[in-house]
Amino acid sequence: MFAHSLSRWLDRKGIHFSWVIVAITFLTMLTSAAALGLPGVLLQPLSREFGWTTDEISSAIALRFILFGLIGPFAAIFMERFGLRNVISTALTLVALCLALSTQMTQLWHMFLLWGLILGIATGMTALVLGAVVANRWFEKRRGLVIGLLTASSATGQLIFLPVAAWLIEHHGWRMAVLPVFCCCALVAVLAFVLIRNRPHDMGIAAYGADPSVVPVIPALAAKMTLLEPLKVLASVSRNRTFLVLAGTFFICGLSTSGLIQTHFISLCGDYGMAAIPAASMLALMGAFDFVGTILSGWLSDRYDNRKLLFWYYGLRGLSLLWLPHSDFTLYGLSIFAMFYGLDWIATVPPTVKLAGAAFGKERAGMVFGWIFAAHQIGSAIAAYGAGLSRTMLLTYTPALYTAGAACLFAAVIIFMIQKPVKVA
């Protein structure tokens, strides 16, 4: 009832209720991203307290990345069967429970269970597929902008929480660093349960930009979805060149972002004598640039050739990663890296979503993108474990940085294997 009252009040102010859905989805993805980013600032404290090696901790993080990605294609099924509200509230409750229990862990298998298994599954239900579903269901216009805003939420989560977490670790221990994210997850879960609705017609309104006189119809495909549907979709596109290129380049995207920099950057800076708080602040600076870059990318993806956008994003990211080991890890050097790397950290998402939509149609685009995103997370998992293994065995992250940088340059080239999409009005 409160949601309907709020909708009517906003309507009198000329504000569509879809923006409330976007706001809560933004907060959901923000808090999920904050939970995902926490292990990056916890690597060294956990290693010092429990004696776990970097590659052991990275193994649990790699498991989380894999589950985070593999749950994505099935998340749309859960949202269709149980509704957005129930899925979001349940996922955030699981994340909050996982964070609370993690303060009591003492064995490595506890970390695999909590930070690997439970956190991977819970955050997978609120990953980028959620943003794509919300944009498609609640908006007929400005979808590119909405996808850009929701994608940027992960950067915002990093921007807000990581410096705070680093400060709390230094002054109160790593267990206290979990508290802010736990509280936010619990609060957003309540907001989602009270305000989120599955579709616009549940509120008696049309989607943003849609003709109010047209009665919305639930697509037949959605009504017949089963848990086998994502596997059928994967089988039908697995030999499609566009899918293979998008999945391959997004694999490289994960290899060069969340699995590498988000997970290991603070530890990497520590190897060069930089304390955790300034390192986390530099990571937050990347998040600030990424927030701007991703929203701008959403705007650009509605207007320009998405292949050319991805060429520049991957190319600049690759060059910045190749340069990072030579930055001397000074404030000046890292600031340059933060700017060039941060601007295209997640800016690859809106063009990739647009290319998937153009190639596979609106009805299948979300599920196809779910599998493309799964490839992203497999890349993240390999980078998280591989960089940790490099640090343990070779005492340096440099080989991982060079590998990721070269892979990005390769991605910039192969993206043109996709034919230029035909513009649709």
Side-chain angles (χ1 to χ4, degrees):
M1 294 299 294
F2 182 74
H4 285 81
S5 300
L6 178 60
S7 177
R8 289 191 293 269
W9 182 81
L10 290 173
D11 186 59
R12 291 194 294 269
K13 302 289 184 180
I15 302 173
H16 198 280
F17 188 74
S18 58
W19 294 110
V20 174
I21 302 297
V22 168
I24 297 176
T25 304
F26 183 93
L27 291 174
T28 298
M29 297 174 70
L30 180 150
T31 52
S32 295
L36 286 170
L38 271 179
V41 77
L42 295 176
L43 271 176
Q44 292 183 342
L46 291 175
S47 181
R48 286 194 297 267
E49 179 167 336
F50 299 113
W52 302 336
T53 63
T54 303
D55 64 307
E56 287 175 333
I57 299 172
S58 298
S59 298
I61 297 173
L63 173 62
R64 182 202 67 191
F65 278 129
I66 291 174
L67 291 173
F68 180 64
L70 292 179
I71 289 294
F74 298 91
I77 307 293
F78 300 141
M79 292 172 201
E80 189 58 44
R81 285 192 171 187
F82 306 111
L84 288 173
R85 178 176 67 176
N86 292 333
V87 169
I88 292 174
S89 299
T90 301
L92 289 176
T93 300
L94 282 174
V95 172
L97 181 64
C98 170
L99 294 175
L101 291 175
S102 68
T103 62
Q104 305 303 312
M105 64 183 181
T106 56
Q107 303 294 324
L108 187 60
W109 71 266
H110 295 165
M111 186 170 187
F112 271 89
L113 175 64
L114 296 172
W115 290 94
L117 181 63
I118 298 177
L119 190 62
I121 292 173
T123 54
M125 291 191 288
T126 57
L128 294 178
V129 175
L130 172 62
V133 169
V134 168
N136 281 321
R137 288 186 183 179
W138 284 85
F139 288 83
E140 284 295 324
K141 295 181 179 179
R142 299 190 181 178
R143 281 182 185 157
L145 176 62
V146 170
I147 290 173
L149 282 168
L150 294 179
T151 304
S153 62
S154 61
T156 308
Q158 182 173 284
L159 175 67
I160 294 173
F161 288 100
L162 286 190
V164 174
W167 185 88
L168 287 171
I169 289 170
E170 184 169 307
H171 292 87
H172 302 288
W174 68 267
R175 290 174 178 82
M176 283 299 295
V178 173
L179 184 61
V181 185
F182 166 81
C183 293
C184 287
C185 283
L187 176 61
V188 178
V190 173
L191 287 175
F193 187 80
V194 172
L195 293 175
I196 286 288
R197 294 296 181 269
N198 199 34
R199 296 177 185 274
H201 69 77
D202 294 339
M203 299 293 296
I205 59 177
Y208 182 89
D211 185 350
S213 64
V214 177
V215 179
V217 178
I218 298 176
L221 176 63
K224 297 178 181 178
M225 279 183 178
T226 68
L227 290 176
L228 292 177
E229 192 65 36
L231 299 176
K232 294 177 182 177
V233 169
L234 176 62
S236 69
V237 301
S238 59
R239 296 185 180 182
N240 183 286
R241 183 171 67 179
T242 298
F243 172 78
L244 292 174
V245 172
L246 290 177
T249 53
F250 228 44
F251 170 90
I252 293 171
C253 182
L255 189 79
S256 56
T257 52
S258 50
L260 178 61
I261 296 299
Q262 185 182 54
T263 303
H264 292 285
F265 183 77
I266 294 175
S267 179
L268 168 66
C269 290
D271 289 346
Y272 287 85
M274 180 176 284
I277 293 178
S281 299
M282 194 58 62
L283 204 55
L285 180 61
M286 294 180 212
F289 279 112
D290 180 59
F291 182 79
V292 175
T294 303
I295 294 175
L296 179 61
S297 177
W299 183 84
L300 291 172
S301 68
D302 286 329
R303 291 162 174 80
Y304 299 101
D305 186 342
N306 288 277
R307 302 172 308 154
K308 293 180 180 178
L309 294 177
L310 290 174
F311 169 81
W312 286 106
Y313 298 159
Y314 284 119
L316 288 173
R317 184 190 299 172
L319 292 175
S320 64
L321 286 170
L322 292 173
W323 181 78
L324 179 58
H326 308 283
S327 66
D328 296 327
F329 287 81
T330 61
L331 179 62
Y332 174 75
L334 287 180
S335 296
I336 293 176
F337 172 76
M339 180 177 65
F340 282 99
Y341 182 86
L343 281 172
D344 57 51
W345 184 322
I346 315 179
T348 53
V349 174
T352 302
V353 172
K354 296 280 285 188
L355 287 170
F360 303 105
K362 177 182 173 182
E363 296 304 325
R364 292 204 305 169
M367 204 169 295
V368 172
F369 178 71
W371 285 114
I372 293 171
F373 181 67
H376 180 284
Q377 294 309 111
I378 292 172
S380 297
I382 290 174
Y385 178 73
L389 186 64
S390 174
R391 174 64 179 79
T392 299
M393 301 295 292
L394 304 176
L395 303 181
T396 178
Y397 285 110
T398 300
L401 295 172
Y402 282 160
T403 300
C408 285
L409 297 182
F410 176 69
V413 174
I414 66 170
I415 196 64
F416 288 106
M417 292 177 64
I418 298 175
Q419 292 184 351
K420 184 176 181 179
V422 178
K423 282 193 175 183
V424 180

